[in-house]
Amino acid sequence: MYIDVRSLSQEEKIKLKRRLRMKEMSYDSDFKKLEREEGDLIDQLRRLKQDRSRIEVQIKENLEASKKISEKKDFITEELRHIKKRLIELG
């Protein structure tokens, strides 16, 4: 918006300057607030990515441990089956 200041009185110029300075301060404040929010979001995203990486490692470790447990259970089940069979054979 363009205002021809040549036709304004001195009082109107002062009022216009005051309004413009107030608007400038308001925009500066809004801009700084947005920069802080953006920084907070960037930090939060970084933390979430770190958490995701940590959780992915835990999932992998859990799957490996579950597989080992399953293998041990299968081995023990098979050994128990053999023992029961031997016990039956022994009477």
Side-chain angles (χ1 to χ4, degrees), residues 9-57:
S9 69
Q10 191 63 29
E11 185 178 306
E12 290 172 324
K13 287 180 183 179
I14 292 171
K15 286 180 182 179
L16 180 59
K17 281 183 182 180
R18 190 176 329 155
R19 275 188 296 181
L20 291 173
R21 284 188 184 121
M22 294 297 284
K23 189 179 272 191
E24 179 184 34
M25 287 176 14
S26 176
Y27 283 142
D28 280 342
S29 175
D30 291 347
F31 186 80
K32 288 176 184 174
K33 180 182 175 186
L34 290 172
E35 283 185 323
R36 285 191 303 272
E37 289 177 10
E38 181 182 38
D40 291 346
L41 289 172
I42 289 170
D43 290 343
Q44 183 181 13
L45 179 61
R46 182 186 45 77
R47 284 191 305 272
L48 290 171
K49 284 181 178 180
Q50 287 175 342
D51 288 345
R52 181 177 61 191
S53 295
R54 180 182 50 80
I55 289 169
E56 286 173 349
V57 168

Side-chain angles (χ1 to χ4, degrees), residues 37-82:
E37 289 177 10
E38 181 182 38
D40 291 346
L41 289 172
I42 289 170
D43 290 343
Q44 183 181 13
L45 179 61
R46 182 186 45 77
R47 284 191 305 272
L48 290 171
K49 284 181 178 180
Q50 287 175 342
D51 288 345
R52 181 177 61 191
S53 295
R54 180 182 50 80
I55 289 169
E56 286 173 349
V57 168
Q58 289 175 338
I59 288 171
K60 182 180 177 184
E61 290 172 350
N62 187 297
L63 288 172
E64 290 172 359
S66 294
K67 183 179 177 185
K68 287 180 183 179
I69 289 171
S70 180
E71 290 171 354
K72 286 179 182 179
K73 282 174 59 180
D74 291 344
F75 172 79
I76 291 172
T77 301
E78 188 63 28
E79 289 298 310
L80 286 172
R81 191 177 67 74
H82 286 303

Side-chain angles (χ1 to χ4, degrees), residues 1-15:
M1 172 173 88
Y2 177 76
I3 299 174
D4 185 14
V5 292
R6 290 177 289 176
S7 63
L8 295 177
S9 69
Q10 191 63 29
E11 185 178 306
E12 290 172 324
K13 287 180 183 179
I14 292 171
K15 286 180 182 179

